[in-house]
Amino acid sequence: MSDRDTRIGHIVRLGGGVADIRFEGAVPAITNRLVTLTDPEIVIEVSGLPGEGLARGLVMNPSAELRIGLAVRDTGGPIDVPVGEAVLGRMFDLFGRTIDDGPTLPDLPRRPILRRALPLSERRVEGTIFETGIKAIDLLSPLERGGKAGLFGGAGVGKTVLITEMIHNMVAEYDGVSLFCGIGERSREAEELYREMGEAGVLERTVMMFGQMNESPGVRFRVGHAALTMAEYFRDDLRSNVLVLIDNIFRFVQAGSEVSGLLGRIPSRVGYQPTLGTELADLEERICSTERGTMTSIQAVYVPADDFTDPAATHTFAHLSASIVLSRKKASEGLYPAIDPLKSYSRMLTPGTVSARHYRIARDVRNTLAEYEDLKDIIAMLGLEELSEQDRATVRQARQLERFLTQPFFSTEAMTGSAGRFVPLDATLDSCECILSGDFAGRDEGAFYMIGSIDELAEEAPDAA
């Protein structure tokens, strides 16, 4: 019996996207890629070894050809993807196949999608701010270059719009490579994003990878790892700075939960898989910076039923350097981006990391908004007139700041009719300082809604200040 024959097995059981394969010779290792002897191939990833001579695996791309008795070959290694500069400007699926109808890729080296995270001794902390041009983020939750930021929110509060705006603002100015990974999102969003990035002229420095909503849980569970393999190539081999954008981390957790259920594992808290923490860490810990290059990540995180105590949200919080929380209440009031300034957090917003002026203004803005939040119950019961003069001034400033922190986006110009604004951090600080000092005390709060910097307000009515 040849070595090749010993690597051939046959499917003996099928059920719910899981296949049991019996091998006469050596049983493949866990995470190995098995392929059926059909055209096209059906890929099965080994997930367990339930008995002697048996391998149990997840069917990644099921088709009508799948049946009991079908011959399966062990490839001897995990799923791999192509790496190299030729992948720039292209859109891929989990298996490294292009899905953009572009020209055929040249023959490229391939790397396994499952790799160990770098040891702490090889990591480097950057410690500088990554400017987004979005006022509420740069002021109150600044992103760390080489760090991980999460956009948390329930359904319909603007996570995808915000991450699309960040792509528009940051990728065009970014000195490096950008990689977008779509996990379990809608198919039309992939097409729209690909087209928009082409129109913006940033596609040639971007790689896109998708495991979409209609695909199997195994694909959605592994596509994040495949994207990071490509990102690691640019960071380590080409010594580039890499910006990794992921939408949506919750879908990765959800896919892991589906995989766990298919494999018959007993669920843990709130029905999630017992291995949730380990699986999320295996993905998140690969995102780090080294002496060779930085890897910065921005991740959208869906929060089920707006419950921030959900295990998927709490486990994700632990890996991030900045957490940007989107509020349904802000969205219902039309305050977009619907960022909750009192719940959002960044470890960069500390003295010594940001400038003393930035820290002071951010602290004063947060304090003013917190005082206003405390006064809302009194205002609702007794009315604004019952407040002291000082409290009324605080309320006026807080309402001006709330509206000033709204911003028209480039990514929504077609829907709103308002031109987008990129606001530099210095302009945001100058504007907030003017509002806090009372320079615009006589102005109606509505005038601050959906503007860029305070200069626009001054230009409208220079004598009103």
Side-chain angles (χ1 to χ4, degrees), residues 241-276:
N241 297 322
V242 186
L243 175 62
V244 178
L245 303 127
I246 303 176
D247 189 7
N248 185 303
I249 282 291
F250 174 77
R251 303 297 177 198
F252 165 77
V253 174
Q254 189 178 48
S257 180
E258 292 177 51
V259 166
S260 182
L262 288 173
L263 296 174
R265 297 177 187 145
I266 297 172
S268 183
R269 184 181 162 211
V270 201
Y272 286 106
Q273 63 272 38
T275 51
L276 166 59

Side-chain angles (χ1 to χ4, degrees), residues 119-410:
L120 290 175
S121 59
E122 295 184 27
R123 302 187 185 198
R124 178 167 62 92
V125 177
E126 188 74 13
T128 57
I129 289 180
F130 204 138
E131 198 168 321
T132 67
I134 299 170
K135 294 179 287 188
I137 293 176
D138 291 342
L139 175 68
L140 298 171
S141 302
L143 307 189
E144 178 186 11
R145 187 177 291 271
K148 289 172 279 206
L151 309 177
F152 290 82
V157 295
K159 296 183 301 301
T160 300
V161 171
L162 191 53
I163 207 168
T164 305
E165 184 70 6
M166 286 186 176
I167 291 170
H168 180 281
N169 289 1
M170 298 164 74
V171 171
E173 303 296 325
Y174 189 60
D175 180 24
V177 171
S178 303
L179 190 145
F180 182 89
C181 177
I183 305 178
E185 293 301 294
R186 300 168 184 85
S187 300
R188 66 165 176 79
E189 290 178 345
E191 188 278 329
E192 288 172 1
L193 189 60
Y194 181 78
R195 180 163 34 83
E196 287 168 6
M197 294 185 83
E199 291 169 358
V202 297
L203 193 59
E204 66 274 5
R205 298 296 298 165
T206 304
V207 185
M208 306 181 78
M209 180 166 278
F210 290 93
Q212 293 163 159
M213 187 178 282
N214 61 315
E215 298 190 71
S216 71
V219 168
R220 289 179 272 123
F221 186 56
R222 289 302 188 203
V223 71
H225 293 281
L228 289 181
T229 294
M230 287 188 175
E232 286 166 346
Y233 171 82
F234 287 106
R235 181 195 65 192
D236 298 336
D237 292 57
L238 298 188
R239 296 178 175 268
S240 297
N241 297 322
V242 186
L243 175 62
V244 178
L245 303 127
I246 303 176
D247 189 7
N248 185 303
I249 282 291
F250 174 77
R251 303 297 177 198
F252 165 77
V253 174
Q254 189 178 48
S257 180
E258 292 177 51
V259 166
S260 182
L262 288 173
L263 296 174
R265 297 177 187 145
I266 297 172
S268 183
R269 184 181 162 211
V270 201
Y272 286 106
Q273 63 272 38
T275 51
L276 166 59
T278 305
E279 290 168 358
L280 190 59
D282 285 343
L283 182 75
E284 293 282 5
E285 288 306 305
R286 290 177 64 181
I287 302 171
C288 61
S289 299
T290 70
E291 293 295 334
R292 296 181 291 274
T294 63
M295 189 184 292
T296 307
S297 177
I298 300 170
Q299 310 169 8
V301 188
Y302 168 68
V303 181
D306 294 340
D307 178 13
F308 284 87
T309 65
D310 186 272
T314 56
H315 277 81
T316 308
F317 272 120
H319 294 279
L320 305 175
S321 56
S323 301
I324 299 159
V325 176
L326 301 179
S327 159
R328 190 169 304 282
K329 185 172 181 295
K330 295 276 186 191
S332 67
E333 294 171 358
L335 300 175
Y336 289 103
I339 295 170
D340 189 325
L342 303 180
K343 291 181 180 176
S344 300
Y345 159 82
S346 171
R347 73 179 185 193
M348 296 295 287
L349 195 60
T350 54
T353 306
V354 298
S355 67
R357 178 172 180 249
H358 183 172
Y359 178 74
R360 173 178 54 81
I361 293 172
R363 182 193 59 198
D364 291 346
V365 167
R366 202 185 294 271
N367 287 344
T368 301
L369 294 173
E371 287 178 33
Y372 175 45
E373 196 67 30
D374 291 340
L375 291 169
K376 280 183 177 178
D377 287 342
I378 298 174
I379 295 170
M381 289 186 292
L382 303 177
L384 188 62
E385 295 75 17
E386 296 301 315
L387 298 180
S388 67
E389 183 59 39
Q390 183 178 349
D391 284 345
R392 285 203 294 272
T394 298
V395 170
R396 182 177 62 250
Q397 283 183 356
R399 287 179 172 172
Q400 289 177 344
L401 286 168
E402 273 190 336
R403 282 147 186 79
F404 174 71
L405 291 176
T406 62
Q407 189 167 341
F409 281 175
F410 294 97

